[in-house]
Amino acid sequence: MAVAPMRITFCCTDTKAQPWLEGLRAALPNATIEQWTAGANLADYAVVWAPPQAFFDEQVALKGIFNIGAGVDALMGLRLPATAAVVRLDDAGMSVQMAEYVCHAVIRHFREFDAYEADVSAGKWSYRKPRLRSDFPVGVMGLGVLGERVARALAQFDFPTLGWSRSPKTVDGVRCFSGQAEFADFLAMTRVLVCLLPLTPETQDILRRDTLAQLLPGAYVINVARGGHLVDDDLLALIASGHVAGATLDVFRVEPLPAAHPFWHHPKITITPHTSARTLREESIAQIARKIRALHEGEPVTGLAGLVDLKKGY
Ligand code: NDP
Ligand code: OXD
């Protein structure tokens, strides 16, 4: 069925616009879709990634703002048009990527593959004493679209798996904790900590000295959410003290990670360039086009998966 004409503006930092514009035009042939420039016509919907405040100051007639990522922290500090619903990507192929990245990081640490690689490079054929899975409980902070998939995947490998979220949850094979009241218990039972929280005022700096100190000794930290969750110097100090054995980090306070940052060459820290779960263009365009069409045809905004609660900030 044909959809009434509409105007869509595209404003995505660090993104090649042309393939997105072509894909969106193919998926929504009745729409006029243009890359935003200052002074452009008012649009009905926006497709964005980290747009500047100037974009929203001009685009005051938006009914929907579609973020081409799962995290909306880059939008939450901006003044958004009051009439617009903010909608983030709901999985769109990211949860399986996140599950493989986190399982890889956990297994690499648990099985000591770094040490084996070093031995092999030195021409050494040597065995290490097998570690007990029961000594490596993995705690996942955030049991949303990505965190739940990650927790389920870890449980499949028989790691004792724990999860922590704001509201109570039930996930098969995962011991679930919720709210501030249960945070200390969750930390005290966790050796490998995975962060998959959204970055909000409540979760900013949550991976800091006093929280990481509550993990089981020889802890391991995997941050795949946002750099703002982690207090870098606190992690370095706890690694130096021996309480934390190491970390795998995909996200940083400043990206790209500055060349002089100690994480680059730290022997106990593995870094990757914010790549644990990439936005997949085809899946994302299909999802966003479906949601724009639904909104434009008058479906209630509350029915859209990935609708952001502006009060909670995610
Ligand atoms: P969701 O919104 O689906 O899940 C967020 C989870 O965090 C929910 O379980 C929520 O609890 C929980 N949560 C939020 N605030 C708190 C709090 N104060 N205390 C305890 N739990 C809290 O998000 P996604 O799973 O889709 O994505 C998670 C994050 O992953 C994104 O916000 C983004 O920052 C990051 N990300 C990173 C990528 C990368 O490549 N590195 C790629 C994609 C995303 P409740 O369920 O009760 O609401
Ligand atoms: C996201 C991200 O939020 O890429 O989707 O980090």
Side-chain angles (χ1 to χ4, degrees):
M1 193 179 70
V3 180
M6 64 177 115
R7 187 174 285 278
I8 299 174
T9 182
F10 180 89
C11 183
C12 295
T13 309
D14 295 333
T15 308
K16 275 198 197 114
Q18 206 49 37
W20 280 90
L21 292 169
E22 283 166 15
L24 286 164
R25 284 174 188 143
L28 295 164
N30 273 19
T32 302
I33 306 177
E34 282 157 357
Q35 182 162 20
W36 178 73
T37 49
N41 289 324
L42 291 184
D44 305 295
Y45 304 102
V47 175
V48 302
W49 180 252
Q53 179 61 51
F55 171 75
F56 291 119
D57 289 345
E58 285 193 8
Q59 288 293 324
V60 291
L62 294 173
K63 291 177 270 198
I65 298 167
F66 292 84
N67 188 57
I68 66 164
V72 289
D73 43 292
L75 294 177
M76 290 299 103
L78 302 178
R79 284 182 313 281
L80 307 175
T83 47
V86 178
V87 184
R88 65 190 190 85
L89 285 183
D90 174 54
D91 197 335
M94 280 190 275
S95 71
V96 67
Q97 297 178 67
M98 205 49 109
E100 69 200 5
Y101 181 102
V102 172
C103 288
H104 175 266
V106 171
I107 291 167
R108 181 161 169 228
H109 173 62
F110 172 63
R111 296 291 302 271
E112 302 183 89
F113 286 138
D114 278 356
Y116 279 111
E117 273 165 29
D119 283 352
V120 168
S121 302
K124 238 164 76 187
W125 181 275
S126 66
Y127 292 106
R128 309 179 80 82
K129 188 166 175 258
R131 290 169 151 185
L132 295 179
R133 220 165 276 271
S134 55
D135 287 339
F136 283 81
V138 186
V140 181
M141 301 167 82
L143 286 176
V145 175
L146 305 183
E148 180 176 338
R149 176 85 185 242
V150 164
R152 285 185 190 278
L154 289 162
Q156 284 291 312
F157 285 105
D158 292 349
F159 288 106
T161 307
L162 304 88
W164 181 67
S165 52
R166 178 201 285 267
S167 55
K169 301 255 181 285
T170 310
V171 182
D172 274 353
V174 180
R175 179 155 180 194
C176 294
F177 298 77
S178 62
Q180 275 309 316
E182 297 181 9
F183 191 38
D185 289 343
F186 164 81
L187 292 171
M189 289 181 212
T190 293
R191 173 153 284 128
V192 181
L193 186 68
V194 179
C195 182
L196 265 167
L197 293 167
L199 186 63
T200 67
E202 280 177 31
T203 66
Q204 170 87 28
D205 297 338
I206 196 164
L207 304 175
R208 58 176 179 269
R209 187 183 294 262
D210 63 302
T211 47
L212 300 180
Q214 294 175 59
L215 297 170
L216 292 167
Y220 195 80
V221 177
I222 299 174
N223 187 16
V224 277
R226 285 290 183 267
H229 288 125
L230 175 68
V231 179
D232 298 359
D233 287 343
D234 287 1
L235 175 70
L236 291 167
L238 285 165
I239 292 178
S241 77
H243 179 70
V244 172
T248 293
L249 308 173
D250 183 51
V251 286
F252 306 92
R253 284 181 180 254
V254 179
E255 293 180 2
L257 185 65
H261 197 289
F263 288 168
W264 273 107
H265 302 293
H266 196 293
K268 299 202 167 145
I269 297 178
T270 300
I271 63 165
T272 49
H274 198 143
T275 195
S276 51
R278 305 290 294 270
T279 292
L280 302 178
R281 198 168 50 231
E282 277 182 29
E283 280 93 327
S284 305
I285 287 173
Q287 183 177 117
I288 290 169
R290 206 167 45 242
K291 291 178 184 173
I292 290 182
R293 210 178 292 117
L295 212 51
H296 206 57
E297 284 170 352
E299 286 188 26
V301 69
T302 46
L304 295 187
L307 180 66
V308 173
D309 179 332
L310 298 177
K311 283 202 203 82
K312 287 187 192 159
Y314 67 97

